[in-house]
Amino acid sequence: MTETQLFFLAGSGVKEIRKGGTVTSWGWGSAGSWTKLKEPKKSSYKKVKYNKKNKSKAGKASGWKLGNNNTLCGTVMPKSAVRQVDGVERTVDVRYRVRGYTFYGKKKKVKKKSVQYKTTYTTAKPYQYQLQYKDKPSVATTYSTFKDTDGKYYAYFSPVYYDGDAQVNSPSRMKHPTSFNVTYGEVRKNLNSTANNNESRDNSGTYVYTNVRSNIVKLELEWTGLNPEEGQELLNVLNATNTYTGVNETTLKNNYIIAQYLDPQTGKAKNGTFFPSDRKVEKYPNGMYKSVSVTLTEV
């Protein structure tokens, strides 16, 4: 019976439409920049004591509201818009939010006093607006899944994986690596401050070192014979240096790869955080992937 060596890889990256994938739903995706309303109305305008620490700044944003072609401070909040999604024009829903702003004028002298004028806008009387478009597809494929809860993109290589001690059925499955090698290594340092020979030997020539950290794992992985869809899905996981704006508008920076693999020392599944080497890709003229190889080094 073949033993599973790699259970899953998880990397950051926004899920894209892939050939053969099915769009199951649409979520709120790209957003425009903050833009001044055509006719903003001041909430207050008053004279205040001058302070060089006073800086103009944006206020807190309001919650999102669906556009309904209504006019707000002279600007129309559209109900829908045409967006390019994977090279195809689609009409998508639009929502908006607003924010206030506080402006401080220049320093002035009034009756021997230094003053400046403070102009305030609020969410009730806003200064700027931002549009967001429902143009983010959730795509189901045979090979991988995207979890909106943690902003990571998962590829599974076994029928099951482990959540703690519990065995869980994988929601999808990609081809297992044809080559899987584990290397354990150490970070060593010579702590003999009087040594002047080199960093690894003392003045008598004896090798002296201290293990700063032991058993750092390095995974050497190679896949062969992947079809175009599988190859693209795999690289979308391995190319993990993207950011993802997830629920509650939180931007998650996931520059590392999480791997669950079979630890040769214990014979049990183990999770680790890794950074990838260069991803080497070889393809055949017909679009098939001859090989995809990468080395993952534990962080």
Side-chain angles (χ1 to χ4, degrees), residues 49-180:
K49 182 179 179 181
Y50 173 77
N51 187 331
K52 65 179 181 180
K53 293 183 179 180
N54 289 339
K55 302 294 181 183
S56 298
K57 63 179 181 179
K60 185 178 179 180
S62 69
W64 291 101
K65 295 181 180 180
L66 289 174
N68 194 25
N69 296 328
N70 53 309
T71 300
L72 177 65
C73 297
T75 302
V76 175
M77 299 295 113
K79 180 179 181 180
S80 62
V82 176
R83 304 288 290 174
Q84 284 269 350
V85 183
D86 197 42
V88 178
E89 287 192 348
R90 298 179 182 272
T91 300
V92 300
D93 294 336
V94 180
R95 66 180 182 178
Y96 70 94
R97 62 180 177 177
V98 297
R99 70 181 182 186
Y101 222 102
T102 300
F103 293 98
Y104 289 94
K106 294 181 180 179
K107 178 180 178 181
K108 292 186 178 182
K109 286 284 188 180
V110 178
K111 295 181 181 181
K112 297 183 180 181
K113 293 182 180 180
S114 295
V115 300
Q116 58 188 157
Y117 286 91
K118 177 183 178 182
T119 306
T120 304
Y121 298 87
T122 63
T123 53
K125 292 187 175 181
Y127 181 76
Q128 292 178 319
Y129 72 98
Q130 183 184 40
L131 301 180
Q132 189 178 33
Y133 306 93
K134 203 169 188 179
D135 60 0
K136 177 185 157 189
S138 293
V139 183
T141 71
T142 309
Y143 315 113
S144 55
T145 59
F146 183 77
K147 292 185 180 179
D148 197 58
T149 53
D150 62 5
K152 290 187 177 64
Y153 190 30
Y154 287 77
Y156 300 89
F157 305 94
S158 168
V160 298
Y161 67 97
Y162 292 88
D163 184 359
D165 293 328
Q167 189 180 86
V168 183
N169 291 329
S170 300
S172 57
R173 188 179 178 187
M174 188 180 288
K175 289 181 180 177
H176 193 274
T178 51
S179 177
F180 180 93

Side-chain angles (χ1 to χ4, degrees), residues 4 6-9 15 18 141-145 153-159 170-178 223-238 292:
T4 297
L6 182 66
F7 295 92
F8 69 71
L9 294 176
K15 179 75 167 142
R18 294 296 184 189
T141 71
T142 309
Y143 315 113
S144 55
T145 59
Y153 190 30
Y154 287 77
Y156 300 89
F157 305 94
S158 168
S170 300
S172 57
R173 188 179 178 187
M174 188 180 288
K175 289 181 180 177
H176 193 274
T178 51
W223 290 262
T224 56
L226 301 177
N227 65 38
E229 294 173 21
E230 292 172 316
Q232 290 177 8
E233 293 288 312
L234 177 60
L235 290 173
N236 213 13
V237 177
L238 295 178
V292 177

Side-chain angles (χ1 to χ4, degrees), residues 177-196:
T178 51
S179 177
F180 180 93
N181 296 301
V182 179
T183 302
Y184 299 101
E186 281 73 44
V187 175
R188 297 171 177 173
K189 184 175 178 63
N190 185 354
L191 300 181
N192 185 349
S193 61
T194 63
N196 58 21

